[in-house]
Amino acid sequence: MLNRSLSQTDTLLMPRPDGAPAGWAVSTAPVTYPEAVAAMQARVEAILEGRAGELVWLLEHPPLYTAGVSAKPADLIDPQRFPVFESERGGQFTYHGPGQRVAYVMLDLRERGRDVRRFVQSLEAWVIGALHEFNVDGEVRDGRIGVWVERRTPGAPPREDKIAALGVKLRRWVSFHGISLNVEPDLSHFSGIVPCGISEHGVTSLVDLGLPVTLDDADAALKLSFERVFGATVPSDPPV
């Protein structure tokens, strides 16, 4: 089984050869899922047509579940609990809600190398580098999408919990959707689904690990790590 701990020193980088910065936008109020999807789709079209640059968009959603293209109906345990949205992204069911930092990534892989595998590995390296800022060792596992942490309790076997999810879509080599990092969400909200189709492992968050991390702290770490992996950013307005 693959067991990789990717740090900020790894070379799974996808910078733009021209050094053009990606926009970095943060929404301070929750954004509904349909609004976010519409804004991402519009931005992707604008990038493809040369009318806009790349954008990383950080936000929170109200509580909801999304079903990726591989979602299995049986993995939706409580369909009445929160709104459920079908999604174009890869993957299965996931939860979004307050206290979770969602980062939607609209990057032009025509300018960064048309390599999907390297792109996914770079997203993993981005998240793991951000976790490293809090002295958390994030890892990836073969066959399990996302970023995981190992929990050790005296007298008990080690346990692996998921701390971040990944799910992306490419449209003519421009990406959208992205990652979600559990900062301080209500972890009980994950019980309405089988997260990413994996029932034998749990979910955790930075606060659940005992770290007094705020969304602002997480944003700063994500920005620092993103620039190590993908290159420079510039402040931008949110698309909605």
Side-chain angles (χ1 to χ4, degrees):
M1 175 176 287
L2 183 64
N3 181 343
R4 288 188 284 128
S5 179
L6 307 175
S7 76
Q8 69 268 32
T9 60
D10 284 303
T11 56
L12 296 170
L13 308 181
M14 291 194 80
R16 286 180 64 112
D18 61 6
W24 188 269
V26 182
S27 288
T28 56
V31 180
T32 69
Y33 193 73
E35 284 181 304
V37 171
M40 282 192 287
Q41 291 174 336
R43 185 66 175 229
V44 167
E45 290 303 317
I47 293 170
L48 286 167
E49 295 170 6
R51 296 184 285 107
E54 298 177 312
L55 182 67
V56 180
W57 181 21
L58 276 60
L59 54 84
E60 285 180 287
H61 285 305
L64 58 91
Y65 298 130
T66 67
V69 295
S70 301
K72 301 172 183 176
D75 288 343
L76 181 58
I77 298 169
D78 188 355
Q80 306 304 318
R81 188 169 190 180
F82 299 124
V84 181
F85 298 94
E86 292 187 0
S87 175
E88 297 176 278
R89 64 164 174 80
Q92 302 185 46
F93 278 102
T94 195
Y95 165 78
H96 295 312
Q100 182 190 71
R101 179 51 87 206
V102 175
Y104 288 135
V105 183
M106 290 148 274
L107 298 182
D108 191 346
L109 300 194
R110 299 171 302 180
E111 301 293 335
R112 295 177 178 270
R114 303 181 188 222
D115 188 330
V116 176
R117 181 179 178 84
R118 190 180 180 201
F119 177 53
V120 172
Q121 290 175 331
S122 295
L123 292 174
E124 293 168 345
W126 170 30
V127 175
I128 290 170
L131 292 172
H132 186 83
E133 296 300 312
F134 304 109
N135 295 314
V136 173
D137 292 327
E139 299 181 339
V140 295
R141 294 289 187 266
D142 189 26
R144 282 195 256 143
I145 298 298
V147 177
W148 301 78
V149 294
E150 187 174 273
R151 314 284 298 274
R152 290 186 176 272
T153 303
R159 182 179 105 202
E160 290 182 349
D161 287 343
K162 191 173 193 174
I163 196 167
L166 280 74
V168 293
K169 170 78 174 178
L170 296 181
R171 180 169 295 164
R172 290 182 291 170
W173 292 105
V174 176
S175 69
F176 58 118
H177 296 282
I179 66 102
S180 59
L181 173 64
N182 295 334
V183 181
E184 193 180 6
D186 185 336
L187 296 178
S188 71
H189 289 180
F190 285 88
S191 64
I193 56 171
V194 178
C196 301
I198 300 170
S199 59
E200 61 269 29
H201 299 284
V203 291
T204 190
S205 69
L206 288 167
V207 169
D208 183 53
L209 293 173
L211 301 168
V213 178
T214 67
L215 282 177
D216 288 344
D217 296 332
D219 291 352
L222 284 166
K223 186 173 183 290
L224 185 65
S225 183
F226 181 91
E227 291 182 340
R228 291 187 183 120
V229 175
F230 291 101
T233 64
V234 61
S236 297
D237 293 329
V240 297

